[in-house]
Amino acid sequence: MKRRIIKAASLWLVLVVMLAALCIVTASGWVLAALCLCVLLPLVSFGLNFTLRGKLHLTLTLQTSTAKNAAVPVTAELRSSGFFPALRVLVPLEVRNDLTGESQRLELTMSAGAKSSQTTAFLLGSACCGRLSVQAERVWLLDYFGFLPVSVPLTASARTTVLPDMFPSEVHLSPATSESDDGAEDRRGWDRSEVYQLREYRPGDDVRQIHWKLSSKLDELVWKEPSMPESRSLLVIWDKRVQATPKEMDALAEAVSSVCQGITNDGLSFDLCWTEEELCTRWIENEDQLLQAIPSMVRTAGAADCALPDFGEYGTVLYFGTQMPDDVMSGHVAYLLCGQAAGEDGRIIGFTPDNVQETLRRWEM
């Protein structure tokens, strides 16, 4: 902004000096009038702009979600309720990816007539998934020459979530052994020997779980929803407490989403957790629930002081991150770490942003 003001003031000063010199040489009334106009115009324009403070309203509109590398339109509407037109309005915008931490600044030049509005559209895109926040905190009303700006605090914002690309992932999980044979009958799961609840059959349910005797009595299909045994309960967690590079955060978002989709395709249910300011948890039973959870999961980075869940409550844990946590020790945890090498014992599965699809396309624990 300072550079813009200095440049505009320099050009105005050169013009004034040239007109003054020409006026002295020619003694022309027309040149004198042009000199007076050149001197007065910025002052008059500044005064009119000053009266427009508090009479401008800015609105930013953005669709709720988009794909990576897609051009998403942003609409900026500037409304004026003043009696004078706003001829030159500079709108600085900050665009930030709340997941990767990337940011950039844009500038829009708009105008609005007296008691009217103007709409301007531009395109945004991101090569990494995450929540894109477009923020304006003030606008600048510029005079005719542009070196006497009037600052107007004007807050407007809009957000969209850039969704991760998902790839096919075949996950083969071996049942974890447990010292107890007691099942967790109060939780949904995949243990067909214990029933969590009876409910109406839905398309896609395993036909082997239909309660045929009761269905014949009620004249409708009744499905036996299996419970979750403690020895095979599953947790998928994305630890975002350590901020990684933008490409690593993007690769982790794709890895978690794709592996979870592979798990749901196998008909398994699980807890999906991720760290933000607080620990977020979703119970995932099918692909629809997963697709609803992904936009929330990929929107922001995590806070460093967010607590992890108790891994001991689960028979199997899939931990996604960039490094092994210091406070977790369990024999039933598989560490899927971006930027790390694979471990010799098979507990650490390392991948990079370049080979994430190749590494996690088919794997087992």
Side-chain angles (χ1 to χ4, degrees), residues 267-343:
L268 304 183
S269 304
F270 57 95
D271 275 335
L272 174 61
C273 294
W274 62 90
T275 57
E276 290 185 3
E277 293 295 331
E278 297 180 351
L279 185 67
C280 301
T281 305
R282 299 286 190 274
W283 173 245
I284 306 299
E285 295 180 289
N286 51 55
E287 187 176 14
D288 289 339
Q289 292 178 341
L290 174 63
L291 295 178
Q292 292 174 7
I294 287 176
S296 298
M297 181 180 66
V298 304
R299 60 186 179 184
T300 65
D305 57 351
C306 181
L308 295 179
D310 184 1
F311 287 8
E313 295 181 355
Y314 297 89
T316 302
V317 177
L318 303 184
Y319 175 95
F320 289 83
T322 56
Q323 62 187 39
M324 292 182 62
D326 298 330
D327 51 349
V328 175
M329 293 297 294
S330 175
H332 304 307
V333 180
Y335 298 94
L336 296 94
L337 306 180
C338 186
Q340 299 289 334

Side-chain angles (χ1 to χ4, degrees), residues 68 165 167-169 247-248 250-256 258-259 320 336 338 349-363:
K68 292 199 306 181
D165 295 335
F167 55 86
S169 178
K247 287 187 176 181
E248 288 176 341
D250 181 66
L252 281 166
E254 291 190 357
V256 177
S258 300
V259 168
F320 289 83
L336 296 94
C338 186
I349 301 173
F351 58 92
T352 67
D354 295 327
N355 68 8
V356 56
Q357 296 191 23
E358 178 183 353
T359 303
L360 300 182
R361 189 172 298 276
R362 182 176 299 167
W363 61 280

Side-chain angles (χ1 to χ4, degrees), residues 178-194:
S178 174
E179 296 179 358
S180 173
D181 293 329
D182 296 332
E185 299 181 14
D186 60 338
R187 300 185 62 189
R188 298 178 178 88
W190 54 85
D191 184 7
R192 296 187 178 91
S193 63
E194 300 290 346

Side-chain angles (χ1 to χ4, degrees), residues 16-27:
V16 169
V17 172
M18 291 177 59
L19 288 175
L22 187 61
C23 182
I24 294 173
V25 173
T26 63

Side-chain angles (χ1 to χ4, degrees), residues 166-235:
M166 298 171 67
F167 55 86
S169 178
E170 296 182 14
V171 185
H172 302 284
L173 301 177
S174 300
T177 59
S178 174
E179 296 179 358
S180 173
D181 293 329
D182 296 332
E185 299 181 14
D186 60 338
R187 300 185 62 189
R188 298 178 178 88
W190 54 85
D191 184 7
R192 296 187 178 91
S193 63
E194 300 290 346
V195 177
Y196 168 72
Q197 66 176 0
L198 298 175
R199 62 169 173 80
E200 182 181 354
Y201 174 81
R202 301 168 186 164
D205 289 338
D206 191 343
V207 295
R208 292 174 296 179
Q209 288 296 107
I210 296 178
H211 196 306
W212 294 108
K213 183 178 294 186
L214 186 58
S215 297
S216 61
K217 293 181 180 180
L218 299 178
D219 198 23
E220 64 178 8
L221 292 179
V222 178
W223 196 67
K224 298 182 292 183
E225 189 164 8
S227 66
M228 176 178 288
E230 293 179 356
S231 60
R232 293 189 63 189
S233 58
L234 175 61
L235 169 67

